[in-house]
Amino acid sequence: MNQLVTPVIDALADIIFGKDQQIKLAVCSLLCKGHLLIEDLPGMGKTTLSHGLADTLGLSYQRVQFTSDLLPADITGSAIFNTTDHSFTFHPGPIFSQVLLADEINRASPKTQSALLEAMEERQVTIDGTSHLLPNPFFVIATQNPLHQSGTHPLPESQLDRFFMRISIGYPDETAERKLIMGFSPKRTTEVRPALTDQQLLELQDQVTDVKLPPPVIDYIISLVQFTRNSGLFHDPLSPRASIALGSATKAWALMAGRNYAIPEDVQAIFSPVAGHRLNLSVKEQDKVVSDILDQVLVPV
């Protein structure tokens, strides 16, 4: 595994027991400069993983608890009138941090959810006609409760598409849950020291772009995307933006494995979290449906 990535994953493993795959996927998303959506039941460690990612990568962060009465200006900030010089002064909101933890994002109204669209896509916020650049790097890590729970609003498709990956933490295995019951508490995020500097993270992100995608791997990605468009099984097949995301995630997964070239197994490892929410699949059905797709599309020789 890549020597810079290993300390990050090891540190996060001390915060979330028994979830190595989910941790690797979360790190993969951030290496691709992608925003991350974590969907699961309350009490599964969504917010803990979000905090841990920010702390382990040494990034400044703000947490916003999304509620039904949250307004867009509570996130982006607003211009406040200064009675002394009779002018408006912009007061930045919590989105002006390297990581915005949008906790329970689907408990806010669609209007408030959509306030994140410009920030997630263009890395800037426009207030009263003036654009304000966000820090670099900048990530939105959002947690979401299942839609069957009361007080939730579905994310618009355009918002879902802005998230590079959607992952689910899932229940701990028996060994991890036994540790929790016996009082072996995971590390608190406040006890975690950064495993990377800002500059190292930016260097890793640059290295992702240098990973080679051999023609057979590109053909494999295109075949998977074309299957979602031509099979007639999906009302919302994968878009070109999804194709680009699959290519980036494949390269990041290869880099994390210590390679400068990608193989078909890299595509298979990241296909579900990159494609599932874009195909409008629920977390419960995502892995099953994606597994069926992978079974039907031949791996290039």
Side-chain angles (χ1 to χ4, degrees), residues 80-195:
I80 298 177
F81 186 70
N82 188 330
T83 56
T84 303
D85 57 9
H86 301 283
S87 64
F88 285 92
T89 303
F90 176 64
H91 289 254
I95 202 169
F96 287 88
S97 56
Q98 292 175 312
V99 175
L100 174 69
L101 303 183
D103 212 2
E104 297 186 307
I105 188 173
N106 60 333
R107 292 196 179 278
S109 67
K111 180 179 181 180
T112 301
Q113 293 173 8
S114 64
L116 293 173
L117 289 177
E118 180 187 12
M120 294 173 71
E121 182 67 19
E122 302 179 29
R123 315 280 168 157
Q124 67 177 25
V125 171
T126 301
I127 307 292
D128 295 333
T130 302
S131 296
H132 305 270
L133 293 177
L134 293 169
N136 183 36
F138 170 74
F139 305 110
V140 173
I141 303 177
T143 69
Q144 175 171 264
N145 293 327
L147 290 177
H148 68 263
Q149 295 199 335
S150 60
T152 58
H153 303 272
L155 293 178
E157 285 79 1
S158 57
Q159 174 97 28
L160 271 177
D161 195 39
R162 296 305 194 279
F163 283 103
F164 188 83
M165 279 189 187
R166 180 187 64 181
I167 65 173
S168 176
I169 295 177
Y171 293 110
D173 60 30
E174 184 177 328
T175 301
E177 195 153 17
R178 188 182 298 275
K179 285 183 179 180
L180 294 173
I181 293 172
M182 293 175 65
F184 291 95
S185 299
K187 276 188 179 180
R188 297 179 180 273
T189 56
T190 53
E191 300 172 356
V192 175
R193 294 183 177 180

Side-chain angles (χ1 to χ4, degrees), residues 215-237:
V217 175
I218 296 175
D219 292 342
Y220 188 36
I221 292 173
I222 291 174
S223 295
L224 290 168
V225 171
Q226 289 293 334
F227 180 87
T228 69
R229 298 172 185 172
N230 301 329
S231 64
L233 298 176
F234 303 100
H235 181 68
D236 299 307

Side-chain angles (χ1 to χ4, degrees), residues 213-231 237-240 242-248 250 264 267-268 270-271 293-294 296-300:
L213 276 181
V217 175
I218 296 175
D219 292 342
Y220 188 36
I221 292 173
I222 291 174
S223 295
L224 290 168
V225 171
Q226 289 293 334
F227 180 87
T228 69
R229 298 172 185 172
N230 301 329
S231 64
L238 295 177
S239 68
S243 302
I244 295 170
L246 287 168
S248 297
T250 297
V267 181
Q268 295 168 348
I270 55 82
F271 187 66
I293 296 173
L294 292 173
Q296 295 182 62
V297 177
L298 296 178
V299 178

